């Protein structure tokens, strides 16, 4: 058990049978039990019961036991870039500065700061992640921490490297494509095929920036020049008169095992494609606000039946990797969204997107006995979700 900042405790039950009682238990967004306890054994939740246990139990207090948070999209290897980059000179300039600063910092510094960020994540209640790494330096760090999830090795350009995937109950290895405008269609298809054959999620940034949409639609512009500068030959890519979403759909990349990250610049038709394909969507609103000055249409996604997961993106574009901060931002900027939906975005939706819902996302029977205790003092369910998603 670890006591963290802001009245938050991460609880991991031992192997033996234990009873954990609290004023409230949020099993999931629609199952909230007042005055209840969890029964755990062999690291799993074996029951959720109302009332006070008659046997010896661990009393956490009047607050709430809830599932741990899932940060579905982040780049731990960019943690050393916190407060190093300006957001006001446009996205292309930000990407250039990011690559230069990252290379200048060197691996030792990147590893040191990523390690620190892992500690912060756990302290702030995130125990499951979908981490994106192009350098391949993060997986051992996650394996040696209390974090679980999927480590995506990310590729871009045209070369098709040898690809490694590994499905594991704690930390899986999968692959990611950077984005439709930075990676050849052949590479993207190879990455998707590899992850799909392993039954693992594939992740890709899509429809994030104006330059991306312009390039995919017009086959020219700032991004076309940028790629030429970096020696990436895109002349054979089957782009033109398409949106990033419709292009990926044409390539056959959108299915329930793909996580489409950002989806900021989408048309009505794109939204239909996303809903129909049952692709998983992950939004990173704070990062979008900083880099692009706009926000994804979460309300419209929900209307279409899409259940978006939530990520912070990296510390190069966001102030913290704290998922309570991300949920609070969503709450402030999407006043029409129910707090229960925001809570699901930070828990079960992420677990489903990363293929971890067998283990986490809710506190139902059979899931891992890893949960959070927050010492909130509330008298009804409505206030409970208000408090959880406000990070007060
Ligand atoms: Zn990202």
């Amino acid at each position: 058990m670890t006591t963290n900042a802001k009245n938050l405790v991460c609880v991991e039950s031992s192997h033996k049978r234990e009873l954990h009682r609290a004023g409230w238990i949020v099993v999931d967004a629609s199952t909230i039990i007042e005055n209840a306890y969890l029964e755990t054994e062999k690291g799993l939740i074996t029951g959720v019961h109302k009332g006070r246990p008659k046997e010896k139990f661990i009393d956490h207090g009047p607050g709430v036991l809830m599932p741990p948070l899932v940060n579905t999209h982040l780049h731990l290897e960019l943690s050393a870039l916190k407060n190093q980059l300006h957001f006001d000179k446009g996205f292309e300039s930000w990407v250039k500065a990011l690559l230069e600063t990252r290379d200048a910092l060197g691996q030792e510094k990147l590893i040191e700061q990523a390690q620190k960020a892992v500690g912060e994540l756990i302290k702030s209640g995130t125990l499951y992640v979908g981490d994106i790494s192009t350098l391949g330096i993060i997986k051992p760090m996650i394996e040696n921490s209390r974090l679980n999830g999927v480590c995506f090795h990310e590729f871009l350009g045209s070369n098709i490297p040898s690809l490694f995937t590994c499905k594991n109950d704690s930390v899986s290895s999968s692959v990611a494509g950077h984005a439709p405008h930075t990676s050849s269609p052949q590479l993207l298809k190879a990455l998707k095929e590899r992850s799909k054959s392993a039954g693992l999620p594939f992740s890709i940034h899509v429809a994030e920036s104006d330059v991306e949409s312009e390039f995919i639609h017009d086959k020219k512009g700032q991004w076309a020049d940028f790629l030429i500068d970096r020696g990436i030959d895109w002349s054979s890519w089957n782009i033109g008169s398409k949106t990033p979403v419709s292009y990926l759909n044409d390539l056959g990349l959108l299915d329930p095992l793909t996580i489409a990250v950002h989806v900021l610049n989408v048309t009505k038709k794109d939204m239909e494609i996303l809903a129909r394909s049952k692709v998983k969507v992950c939004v990173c609103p704070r990062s979008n606000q900083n880099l692009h000055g706009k926000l994804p249409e979460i309300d419209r996604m929900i209307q279409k039946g899409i259940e978006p997961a939530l990520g912070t993106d990296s510390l190069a574009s966001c102030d913290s990797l704290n998922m309570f901060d991300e949920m609070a931002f969503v709450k402030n900027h999407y006043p029409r969204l129910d707090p229960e939906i925001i809570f699901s975005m930070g828990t079960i939706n992420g677990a489903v997107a990363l293929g971890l819902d067998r283990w986490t996302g809710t506190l139902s029977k059979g899931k891992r006995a890893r949960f959070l205790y927050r010492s909130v003092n509330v008298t009804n369910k409505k206030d409970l979700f208000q408090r959880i998603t406000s990070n007060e």
Side-chain angles (χ1 to χ4, degrees):
M1 208 182 290
T2 320
T3 305
N4 299 322
K6 285 195 109 173
N7 312 320
L8 186 70
V9 180
C10 282
V11 185
E12 237 163 298
S13 76
S14 71
H15 211 63
K16 58 180 201 258
R17 185 168 175 272
E18 289 176 357
L19 305 177
H20 295 264
R21 189 243 155 226
W24 299 88
I25 292 181
V26 175
V27 177
D28 56 51
S30 53
T31 318
I32 301 104
I33 313 172
E34 190 175 1
N35 184 28
Y37 64 98
L38 290 172
E39 190 182 339
T40 68
E41 195 168 3
K42 294 180 182 161
L44 298 176
I45 296 169
T46 49
V48 190
H49 311 278
K50 183 144 178 64
R52 285 180 92 82
K54 299 209 168 40
E55 309 158 61
K56 188 178 158 218
F57 62 96
I58 300 161
D59 197 352
H60 293 279
V64 58
L65 291 177
M66 57 176 273
L69 301 178
V70 183
N71 192 336
T72 305
H73 181 83
L74 76 168
H75 307 243
L76 279 164
E77 72 185 12
L78 300 179
S79 299
L81 279 83
K82 186 175 181 181
N83 299 329
Q84 301 262 332
L85 307 174
H86 297 286
F87 303 135
D88 51 0
K89 292 183 184 133
F91 186 55
E92 187 204 350
S93 157
W94 178 83
V95 173
K96 272 186 184 165
L98 183 146
L99 296 173
E100 282 166 17
T101 314
R102 186 195 69 183
D103 294 346
L105 280 165
Q107 279 210 5
E108 206 178 309
K109 188 81 184 159
L110 298 180
I111 289 172
E112 179 195 305
Q113 291 303 308
Q115 190 72 61
K116 206 173 134 197
V118 167
E120 295 291 326
L121 272 172
I122 297 165
K123 241 200 256 179
S124 59
T126 294
L127 294 183
Y128 295 87
V129 293
D131 181 72
I132 311 286
S133 168
T134 52
L135 304 173
I137 55 175
I138 299 299
K139 196 183 173 210
M141 203 180 289
I142 292 184
E143 283 173 327
N144 290 323
S145 78
R146 292 167 68 197
L147 293 179
N148 282 184
V150 183
C151 293
F152 294 95
H153 196 166
E154 182 187 66
F155 298 91
L156 75 170
S158 306
N159 292 338
I160 299 179
S162 59
L163 301 172
F164 171 77
T165 52
C166 170
K167 201 170 184 176
N168 183 287
D169 282 349
S170 301
V171 184
S172 291
S173 292
S174 190
V175 288
H178 178 257
H181 62 308
T182 57
S183 316
S184 75
Q186 293 81 5
L187 172 64
L188 293 178
K189 280 186 184 175
L191 294 167
K192 175 64 189 171
E193 232 165 74
R194 177 71 203 217
S195 55
K196 195 171 188 172
S197 66
L200 285 163
F202 164 72
S203 176
I204 183 164
H205 301 98
V206 54
E208 181 185 3
S209 66
D210 294 341
V211 285
E212 172 191 351
S213 294
E214 178 190 43
F215 174 64
I216 300 289
H217 194 270
D218 300 341
K219 298 176 82 167
K220 61 181 182 191
Q222 278 178 18
W223 199 268
D225 302 338
F226 176 64
L227 289 184
I228 292 164
D229 284 352
R230 288 182 65 81
I232 298 171
D233 177 13
W234 50 269
S235 57
S236 65
W237 300 7
N238 191 18
I239 53 175
S241 305
K242 295 176 184 181
T243 62
V245 168
S246 65
Y247 170 59
L248 291 192
N249 192 43
D250 289 351
L251 290 178
L253 299 186
L254 303 184
D255 69 20
L257 271 178
T258 290
I259 306 172
V261 180
H262 294 310
V263 291
L264 197 53
N265 293 331
V266 287
T267 63
K268 265 188 173 169
K269 211 173 145 202
D270 287 339
M271 207 62 100
E272 302 282 347
I273 293 172
L274 293 168
R276 207 171 40 234
S277 66
K278 299 205 179 334
V279 67
K280 302 297 187 298
V281 168
C282 176
V283 293
C284 308
R286 282 189 298 162
S287 171
N288 295 156
Q289 177 83 309
N290 283 334
L291 288 180
H292 307 287
K294 58 177 154 181
L295 295 173
E297 294 183 86
I298 298 176
D299 303 270
R300 198 143 68 91
M301 291 176 191
I302 308 275
Q303 277 168 18
K304 287 279 165 204
I306 296 166
E307 294 176 335
L310 202 54
T312 57
D313 221 349
S314 76
L315 287 175
S317 62
C318 188
D319 298 337
S320 76
L321 303 181
N322 185 329
M323 286 291 292
F324 282 112
D325 291 345
E326 197 71 37
M327 290 196 293
F329 181 90
V330 173
K331 185 167 181 290
N332 288 336
H333 289 79
Y334 298 84
R336 283 184 311 217
L337 275 189
D338 288 339
E340 286 86 345
I341 288 180
I342 301 170
F343 173 80
S344 293
M345 290 170 69
T347 54
I348 185 64
N349 295 4
V352 170
L354 293 168
L356 307 171
D357 48 316
R358 185 179 155 212
W359 298 118
T360 192
T362 70
L363 293 187
S364 42
K365 194 174 165 181
K367 306 248 178 169
R368 286 206 179 120
R370 310 176 88 204
F371 38 87
L372 309 181
Y373 173 74
R374 276 196 71 174
S375 59
V376 292
N377 208 345
V378 293
T379 53
N380 61 65
K381 292 176 188 179
K382 193 166 170 275
D383 288 351
L384 182 63
F385 277 105
Q386 290 286 352
R387 287 292 303 278
I388 289 173
T389 52
S390 298
N391 199 16
E392 285 162 357

